[in-house]
Amino acid sequence: MLKFFQKDINRDITCASVEGYQLNLIPVVDKVKKLYPNTDELPSWAKFVENPVKGRGFYTTLLEGMFKGKHNLSGVDVELLVQSTKSNLSKRRIAMMFFPDNTKVDNLIKIGNITESVLNGWSIIVLNGKTVVGGGGNCEIVVNELIKSTSNNILIISAKMAQRSFSEELISELYLAYDKGQDGATIQKMSRALTSNSPDKIARIFSLSFDPNRDDKLDTIVFQAAFNQVEKKDKTDIREELKRVYRSIDIFSCTDDGNAIKLEIDDYVNQSLEKKGISRVMGKKSDLTLLNKVQVKALLNGNVNYLRNEMKERAETGKTKDIEPKTSVNNKVEKPSNNDIEKVREVIISIIEHSDVIMIASKNKGAKNITEALQIFEENNWISIIEEEFGVKYDVIKYLYITGVIKSEWINLLHG
């Protein structure tokens, strides 16, 4: 079928360059405490969207620092930070800002109203179920109409709406205003700035974090690309793939004096792996369709007897991979709920994050991979150590490895 198509190389030429900026919001918090002495609570994006009016002082100060260069907050002054990289913002700025997915519709509108009151000379549009009523609920139509109707700078505000299948080539700034997020959704949100019709476009993505040392939203795109290469090309060194991807994208750490500094490649790889964001990428790739409802419940409830019997069956039949879900009487497989699936996925991510504990301890005993490592823990009666470290029954951990839900090669790749 592909013989009837030709590759349009112009699509490669017009691909936008990407820059990521890690902003530290703690100086903003400190400034707010001076401006508003009654502020005694360290804010978070979750707390802010829960009550935007209560958090107005913080949000107003942040907007004035980012977009107006006020309050001597050079570390969040976007124009100053971009200039420090020997570049400049677009003459007409079209930006988009994403807040937490669970932001209530009415609260997002309040955030839009506060934003509009602060940013003179900007046109603000909020995308949610109440505001996107024109154009048949089509975000692109609503945004395009605004862009054509004014010469102002534009800031598009959203929570979940328009994170997929929304394309506007003029968006060149994207702000991630949430504490945590699904890796897949974060990449989708970043992609809203990547549509391009010019080889000169630079998509600038700003992660607004209260804890930048642990924030890995910007790392997500690097992890995903590197891990994809590892899987597709059967590579064995995740560090080399991370370096290769990092060379193609600029990720800056922003200092309080207004400088955006790109880390040396080895420092970046070491710091990004310490954040363990790649564990979440691996966790999201775990194929939980392999599990039926009974198996998921057994994992969540720590049903050791069930899990041991399952593992014994597979050992006896040689089926240690590719789980065959047990069917009910009517031969229909009972599927677990989405909520239970996500709970199991969080357990998997935690296990992958802490897998270095197992590998480091067992390497001194000669273990070369996770399978040998687990065997050593059993032989030395160290199972309780794993359970204390992970907060999960050992049989749950072993079951996920034995059945291939967590791929052993992933752990070997990270720590082998």
Side-chain angles (χ1 to χ4, degrees):
M1 188 68 182
L2 291 177
K3 66 182 180 181
F4 297 109
F5 295 86
Q6 288 184 332
K7 180 178 179 179
D8 182 2
I9 61 172
N10 289 322
R11 300 296 299 171
D12 294 334
I13 296 172
T14 58
C15 181
S17 299
V18 181
E19 292 180 355
Y21 294 78
Q22 181 70 65
L23 271 62
N24 179 9
L25 301 189
I26 295 303
V28 180
V29 175
D30 294 338
K31 176 63 70 172
V32 170
K33 288 180 178 179
K34 292 179 180 178
L35 295 173
Y36 307 93
N38 293 329
T39 303
D40 57 1
E41 186 178 36
L42 178 65
S44 67
W45 286 116
K47 291 176 182 176
F48 170 67
V49 300
E50 191 175 314
N51 192 339
V53 175
K54 183 178 179 181
R56 181 197 295 267
F58 158 74
Y59 184 56
T60 297
T61 305
L62 174 62
L63 289 177
E64 290 176 339
M66 284 201 307
F67 294 102
K68 293 185 171 183
K70 289 187 174 182
H71 306 299
N72 196 30
L73 291 168
S74 300
V76 298
D77 185 336
V78 169
E79 186 173 9
L80 185 63
L81 291 168
V82 172
Q83 285 179 356
S84 76
T85 69
K86 310 300 181 186
S87 189
N88 291 290
L89 295 168
S90 304
K91 289 184 179 178
R92 187 191 183 197
R93 297 168 65 181
I94 310 293
M96 190 166 189
M97 185 178 291
F98 280 104
F99 289 90
D101 284 354
N102 62 351
T103 305
K104 294 178 181 178
V105 170
D106 289 338
N107 284 351
L108 195 66
I109 293 173
K110 290 176 183 177
I111 292 170
N113 291 337
I114 296 171
T115 307
E116 195 166 28
S117 69
V118 175
L119 298 185
N120 301 323
W122 285 70
S123 294
I124 312 300
I125 181 169
V126 175
L127 299 181
N128 62 27
K130 280 191 176 181
T131 60
V132 182
V133 292
N138 187 308
C139 295
E140 288 189 43
I141 292 176
V142 173
V143 171
N144 285 332
E145 286 179 352
L146 175 63
I147 290 174
K148 292 175 182 177
S149 68
T150 179
S151 59
N152 288 349
N153 295 329
I154 292 175
L155 178 59
I156 305 160
I157 290 176
S158 181
K160 292 185 71 172
M161 187 171 281
Q163 70 181 26
R164 298 180 184 179
S165 304
F166 171 72
S167 178
E168 174 47 61
E169 61 198 25
L170 293 178
I171 296 174
S172 58
E173 300 172 39
L174 189 121
Y175 297 86
L176 303 176
Y178 51 88
D179 304 304
K180 296 179 181 178
Q182 301 287 344
D183 294 335
T186 291
I187 291 174
Q188 288 172 347
K189 289 168 182 174
M190 290 181 182
S191 298
R192 296 316 102 215
L194 301 185
T195 304
S196 175
N197 66 347
S198 165
D200 300 322
K201 178 174 179 178
I202 299 176
R204 295 186 173 94
I205 300 166
F206 300 86
S207 182
L208 312 180
S209 176
F210 295 97
D211 189 359
N213 291 327
R214 298 181 66 184
D215 183 25
D216 57 13
K217 292 194 286 293
L218 292 176
D219 298 327
T220 297
I221 196 168
V222 179
F223 288 149
Q224 188 69 65
F227 194 55
N228 287 345
Q229 290 301 307
V230 167
E231 290 205 307
K232 288 178 182 177
K233 298 183 179 180
D234 197 26
K235 301 285 186 180
T236 58
D237 191 341
I238 188 65
R239 289 176 176 271
E240 286 305 312
E241 290 306 306
L242 285 170
K243 289 178 182 179
R244 191 184 66 80
V245 175
Y246 185 60
R247 291 187 187 102
S248 68
I249 182 173
D250 291 324
I251 296 182
F252 299 103
S253 177
C254 301
T255 64
D256 292 347
D257 59 0
N259 285 306
I261 300 172
K262 182 169 182 176
L263 292 175
E264 293 294 327
I265 193 164
D266 289 327
D267 292 336
Y268 172 77
V269 170
N270 290 335
Q271 288 185 22
S272 60
L273 287 176
E274 284 176 5
K275 294 177 185 177
K276 298 188 177 182
I278 198 165
S279 303
R280 280 188 284 283
V281 173
M282 290 177 172
K284 298 304 176 186
K285 280 183 167 287
S286 298
D287 188 3
L288 298 191
T289 61
L290 293 171
L291 301 173
N292 62 30
K293 185 176 181 179
V294 175
Q295 292 161 336
V296 166
K297 287 294 184 184
L299 287 168
L300 290 177
N301 297 329
N303 189 336
V304 173
N305 290 332
Y306 176 88
L307 297 175
R308 286 177 181 172
N309 287 335
E310 282 268 298
M311 287 188 282
K312 184 179 179 182
E313 275 185 36
R314 297 182 198 290
E316 290 173 351
T317 60
K319 294 180 180 179
T320 56
K321 301 288 175 79
D322 300 326
I323 303 171
E324 296 175 3
K326 295 179 180 179
T327 57
S328 57
V329 177
N330 61 3
N331 292 324
K332 289 184 179 179
V333 177
E334 282 194 83
K335 294 182 178 180
S337 69
N338 290 335
N339 187 43
D340 283 347
I341 282 289
E342 287 309 308
K343 287 179 181 178
V344 171
R345 198 177 296 283
E346 287 303 314
V347 171
I348 288 171
I349 291 170
S350 178
I351 290 172
I352 297 173
E353 281 183 347
H354 295 88
S355 61
D356 57 331
V357 174
I358 300 175
M359 293 301 296
I360 291 171
S362 58
K363 275 183 180 179
N364 292 332
K365 297 283 186 177
K368 297 178 181 177
N369 54 55
I370 189 65
T371 303
E372 293 178 2
L374 292 175
Q375 187 176 347
I376 286 173
F377 267 76
E378 291 177 11
E379 292 172 352
N380 288 274
N381 296 317
W382 293 346
I383 289 174
S384 60
I385 297 174
I386 293 182
E387 292 182 338
E388 288 176 13
E389 180 69 29
F390 288 75
V392 181
K393 292 289 187 182
Y394 172 77
D395 291 274
V396 170
I397 298 168
K398 184 175 180 179
Y399 182 85
L400 290 169
Y401 282 122
I402 291 279
T403 54
V405 175
I406 300 178
K407 292 185 179 180
S408 297
E409 53 264 36
W410 293 352
I411 308 306
N412 300 337
L413 183 71
L414 286 175
H415 309 296

